[in-house]
Amino acid sequence: MAHKNFRKEDFVQDESGEYKVEFQKGNIGEGSDLIVERQKEDGEYETLQAEIHRHGESIFVSWSEPFNGRVIFDE
């Protein structure tokens, strides 16, 4: 399984107050088997039940606050 890392700084706050990070569908696939993980202070990862939305060629991961993490996907 492949992954794509993201940082807190990659998130953008929307008008509802949620934070979103955007990925291009071509970089991570359709998104049917996406797993979102947040990096903990000790460097380990924990799986989250983050909201995932698709719009056009973009996939958005939403959360209440920005965090360092990764998206795991099938190649």
Side-chain angles (χ1 to χ4, degrees):
M1 299 203 60
H3 70 275
K4 182 142 178 84
N5 292 337
F6 55 87
R7 300 171 297 139
K8 290 179 185 180
E9 296 81 17
D10 296 333
F11 281 86
V12 175
Q13 190 173 26
D14 67 13
E15 61 279 348
S16 70
E18 290 241 321
Y19 289 88
K20 296 182 180 184
V21 62
E22 180 179 3
F23 299 95
Q24 293 301 308
K25 190 168 34 174
N27 293 335
I28 62 173
E30 292 293 323
S32 60
D33 294 327
L34 294 181
I35 299 170
V36 179
E37 294 185 328
R38 175 173 47 190
Q39 188 174 30
K40 300 186 294 185
E41 289 183 22
D42 65 3
E44 295 292 317
Y45 287 91
E46 62 183 345
T47 302
L48 299 178
Q49 292 287 333
E51 288 186 42
I52 299 172
H53 302 278
R54 293 167 188 82
H55 185 269
E57 292 298 310
S58 295
I59 297 172
F60 297 92
V61 174
S62 300
W63 198 252
S64 59
E65 60 191 37
F67 61 92
N68 295 326
R70 64 185 178 190
V71 174
I72 299 174
F73 54 94
D74 289 330
E75 287 190 287

